[in-house]
Amino acid sequence: MEGISITKLLVITVLVILLFGTRKLRTLGADLGAALKGFKKALGDDSTPPVANNSTKIQSAQQQSGEKKNV
């Protein structure tokens, strides 16, 4: 057995797109991504910090650098 070649993968991809349609595949991908993100968050391995915390860190760093300049 040779394995899966590029042409076989292309044929499988075309068949999947024809069966499910692009809209269904798009929503399926979004749902899968949200599920994985939720799973990572539940495990505590979510490496992306929330936007509010990131901006707070930037503001505090700017304030600290401003205080050092005034001294």
Side-chain angles (χ1 to χ4, degrees), residues 33-48:
L36 286 175
K37 187 175 182 180
F39 183 71
K40 283 184 180 181
K41 188 174 182 180
L43 288 177
D45 294 342
D46 193 15
S47 61
T48 57

Side-chain angles (χ1 to χ4, degrees), residues 3-14:
I4 297 178
S5 66
I6 296 293
T7 55
K8 290 178 185 178
L9 285 176
L10 288 173
V11 170
I12 291 170
T13 303
V14 169

Side-chain angles (χ1 to χ4, degrees), residues 62-71:
Q62 289 173 348
Q63 288 174 351
Q64 289 176 354
S65 65
E67 290 172 2
K68 289 179 183 178
K69 289 180 183 177
N70 291 337
V71 174

Side-chain angles (χ1 to χ4, degrees), residues 21-55:
T22 56
R23 233 182 273 167
K24 182 71 174 175
L25 290 176
R26 191 177 307 132
T27 57
L28 181 67
D31 291 343
L32 182 62
L36 286 175
K37 187 175 182 180
F39 183 71
K40 283 184 180 181
K41 188 174 182 180
L43 288 177
D45 294 342
D46 193 15
S47 61
T48 57
V51 176
N53 289 344
N54 194 15
S55 64

